Amino acid sequence: MKTTSATLKDVAKAAGVSHQTVARVVRKSPKVAEKTRIKVEKAIADSGYLPNRMAQQLARRKSLTLGFVSIDISLHAISKIAEGIRKEAAKQGFTLSISTMNELNPDACNQAIDELLGQQVDGLIINTSVTHTMIKQILERGNLPPCIFIDFDKTSEALQVSHDQVGGASLAAQHLIDLGHTKIALINGAEDTCVAHWRETGWLNTLENAGLKPVHTIDGKWNARSGYQATLDLLDEGHDFTAMLVANDEMCLGVLRALNERHIKVPEDISVVGFDNHEDSEFYNPPLTTVAQDCLELGEQSVSLLMQQLKEQAPEQVRVLLPTQLVIRQSTGPVKA
């Protein structure tokens, strides 16, 4: 029995191929083996799947525009990623259109995607930084042009570019352990975001390998105000700690202010490590020890991977994992004897 509710993923499963192959058949790409094409077309007919008209238009027309779907672009790391995308897109002869999400939920994400599809973008770079479930729902829409995901769940089959969040967080935690710290508090990023999950995973794995557990964990919201409030909460609740692992440098700015207001010296009393290597972090008081990741390169690499999709070339890598490194400054020091 046919049904018009069938998704592209349903067709791929029935035909025993990837959803990318189904998309190529829908776009009438010549780079699909005839035997495979016949099998996919039969699955489409049997399921009643109706390709979105916008997707068909995108297959026929080229706008020479790439779309970038993202969370708050005012965040330092996101703005750098967008700049990397814009620069590399320009080198490839494409312009960039950006649509931001006001909230981290499926409706907001789909609305941002629809806005860009309405502009007939040729490809999408999606930086939702949310859950595996949401990304799965995006992939099942069935009306997408070629797309790349940034900082996405590494268990997914989707094409993606990410920094080594786990490895970077591990470097930060090990640095504190090497300085003799055993009482370490964690201020993580926004709850239920992939980046926060992977950074916390790196911290916890490294602490566990050293026979340690965090003193306490608080979720922040990626901004200085949340870092400030989380630090006050840790102090007011009486938690005993000598060091802090913080999920990004912008929250660290609030952390340092809160500690200063309570007359707690950094690093003499408490050491602080951030993440991102914000361009201003070396001018914090004290200069911030942090994990560096090249967000411009991340943006550039995402465009390079997307270009392979647009040219219907087999990607050299399904998952591009970029390195991170620890930058040691004056916000960390040895634990007091």
Side-chain angles (χ1 to χ4, degrees):
M1 179 178 178
K2 296 183 181 181
T3 172
T4 57
S5 63
T7 67
L8 182 146
K9 185 176 180 181
D10 294 330
V11 175
K13 184 177 180 180
V17 299
S18 69
H19 66 272
Q20 291 96 337
T21 298
V22 177
R24 291 189 186 101
V25 172
V26 169
R27 297 197 304 268
K28 300 188 183 303
S29 167
K31 297 186 177 182
V32 178
E34 185 62 22
K35 183 178 179 180
T36 301
R37 183 185 304 280
I38 292 171
K39 182 167 58 174
V40 171
E41 289 176 345
K42 183 178 185 302
I44 290 174
D46 290 345
S47 67
Y49 172 66
L50 296 176
N52 182 274
R53 180 172 296 176
M54 179 64 72
Q56 294 173 327
Q57 292 174 343
L58 284 166
R60 292 193 298 267
R61 299 173 60 185
K62 298 295 183 182
S63 65
L64 295 180
T65 301
L66 302 183
F68 180 44
V69 174
S70 183
I71 57 175
D72 190 356
I73 201 164
S74 68
L75 293 172
H76 171 76
I78 307 301
S79 66
K80 288 294 184 181
I81 291 170
E83 181 62 11
I85 293 172
R86 186 195 65 77
K87 286 183 175 180
E88 186 61 26
K91 289 180 183 178
Q92 302 289 343
F94 286 76
T95 58
L96 180 66
S97 184
I98 299 174
S99 183
T100 57
M101 300 167 53
N102 295 323
E103 298 178 79
L104 291 176
N105 61 52
D107 288 342
C109 185
N110 283 313
Q111 183 176 354
I113 291 173
D114 287 339
E115 178 182 333
L116 293 172
L117 292 184
Q119 299 173 41
Q120 297 187 337
V121 295
D122 298 306
L124 287 172
I125 298 172
I126 301 176
N127 178 45
T128 60
S129 191
V130 289
T131 63
H132 175 84
T133 300
M134 186 187 294
I135 303 301
K136 183 179 178 182
Q137 291 172 348
I138 292 171
L139 291 174
E140 289 177 349
R141 285 176 51 128
N143 65 338
L144 295 179
C147 60
I148 304 295
F149 292 91
I150 290 177
D151 281 340
F152 175 41
D153 188 335
K154 297 172 181 62
T155 63
S156 169
E157 296 179 357
L159 294 178
Q160 57 197 279
V161 182
S162 177
H163 282 110
D164 185 4
Q165 306 291 340
V166 175
S170 180
L171 290 174
Q174 190 61 52
H175 173 61
L176 293 177
I177 293 168
D178 292 342
L179 290 171
H181 293 280
T182 58
K183 299 176 181 178
I184 303 173
L186 312 181
I187 299 181
N188 203 3
E191 184 180 8
D192 205 25
T193 63
C194 289
V195 173
H197 168 73
W198 291 116
R199 291 179 186 177
E200 184 179 37
T201 297
W203 292 338
L204 295 178
N205 288 347
T206 305
L207 292 176
E208 183 179 358
N209 289 339
L212 302 174
K213 292 183 178 180
V215 169
H216 192 68
T217 302
I218 294 182
D219 291 323
K221 294 182 179 179
W222 302 118
N223 57 45
R225 182 179 297 279
S226 71
Y228 174 79
Q229 189 58 56
T231 304
L232 293 181
D233 290 344
L234 284 168
L235 297 172
D236 291 342
E237 292 169 8
H239 296 289
D240 180 21
F241 56 97
T242 64
M244 302 173 69
L245 288 165
V246 186
N248 80 343
D249 293 352
E250 288 167 269
M251 287 193 292
C252 282
L253 187 61
V255 169
L256 294 176
R257 175 180 167 178
L259 293 175
N260 181 65
E261 288 181 356
R262 295 297 177 90
H263 306 290
I264 296 171
K265 295 181 179 180
V266 178
E268 293 85 351
D269 299 321
I270 292 178
S271 288
V272 178
V273 185
F275 207 113
D276 284 341
N277 196 29
H278 188 295
E279 59 189 11
D280 293 332
S281 61
E282 65 177 306
F283 300 105
Y284 287 10
N285 187 22
L288 185 67
T289 295
T290 185
V291 176
Q293 53 180 0
D294 191 335
C295 292
L296 280 173
E297 182 186 9
L298 181 67
E300 292 167 358
Q301 289 286 343
S302 66
V303 173
S304 295
L305 192 58
L306 185 57
M307 287 298 110
Q308 294 177 40
Q309 281 273 85
L310 289 172
K311 295 174 183 177
E312 297 187 346
Q313 299 173 349
E316 297 176 5
Q317 301 178 68
V318 172
R319 185 178 300 112
V320 177
L321 192 63
L322 302 176
T324 52
Q325 65 181 46
L326 182 69
V327 178
I328 300 175
R329 299 193 182 105
Q330 286 76 57
S331 68
T332 53
V335 68
K336 282 185 176 179

